[in-house]
Amino acid sequence: MGKLDWNRAQKRSAPIVELTAELELCIPDRQEEGRIQERSLKESLNRFLEGLSKEKRCIFLRRYWFGDSVKEIAQRYGMGESKVKTTLFRVRNQLRQHLLKEGFSL
């Protein structure tokens, strides 16, 4: 490619760069949008957890925050594993409904 071709190529790309800069002012920042959605989800989860009974909240957090096994949770709270499994199943369904009601798509 000769010097003349190179100069022309550079001139052709200038308007594209300019248009891109102009469009950036109109297009929302996806990272900021993601942070807002993350914050909104966090607030929604906190509201959901606050609405649970202490027993359900503890079981849910032990499983999904601390990563305890069903067996460990059952032993910790002196209940059968089937009760822990049933509680987790019901709380997950409640959470799903809560998030849908709050406008989150699953």
Side-chain angles (χ1 to χ4, degrees):
M1 175 156 78
K3 180 89 171 154
L4 183 60
D5 291 333
W6 185 82
N7 284 337
R8 287 184 184 156
Q10 186 127 3
K11 288 179 183 176
R12 283 195 310 264
S13 68
I16 294 172
V17 172
E18 186 177 314
L19 286 174
T20 303
E22 290 173 6
L23 285 176
E24 284 177 352
L25 299 174
C26 303
I27 299 172
D29 180 359
R30 293 207 184 264
Q31 287 182 342
E32 180 63 22
E33 190 176 292
R35 286 188 292 270
I36 291 169
Q37 187 172 11
E38 184 178 309
R39 204 170 23 247
S40 179
L41 178 60
K42 179 181 173 184
E43 291 168 1
S44 181
L45 285 171
N46 283 333
R47 282 191 297 277
F48 173 75
L49 291 171
E50 288 171 2
L52 293 177
S53 68
K54 182 177 180 180
E55 179 181 81
K56 289 179 182 178
R57 184 172 50 249
C58 288
I59 291 170
F60 185 85
L61 289 174
R62 292 303 321 175
R63 180 71 176 139
Y64 300 113
W65 182 259
F66 297 104
D68 292 356
S69 69
V70 169
K71 184 177 182 176
E72 291 170 327
I73 296 168
Q75 289 173 346
R76 175 182 288 269
Y77 296 112
M79 58 181 67
E81 289 182 37
S82 62
K83 181 175 180 179
V84 172
K85 289 177 186 177
T86 300
T87 300
L88 289 169
F89 175 78
R90 290 179 179 164
V91 171
R92 283 193 310 268
N93 284 335
Q94 290 174 329
L95 175 59
R96 185 177 296 111
Q97 293 304 312
H98 171 81
L99 292 174
L100 288 171
K101 183 178 156 186
E102 294 228 343
F104 291 95
S105 58
L106 305 178

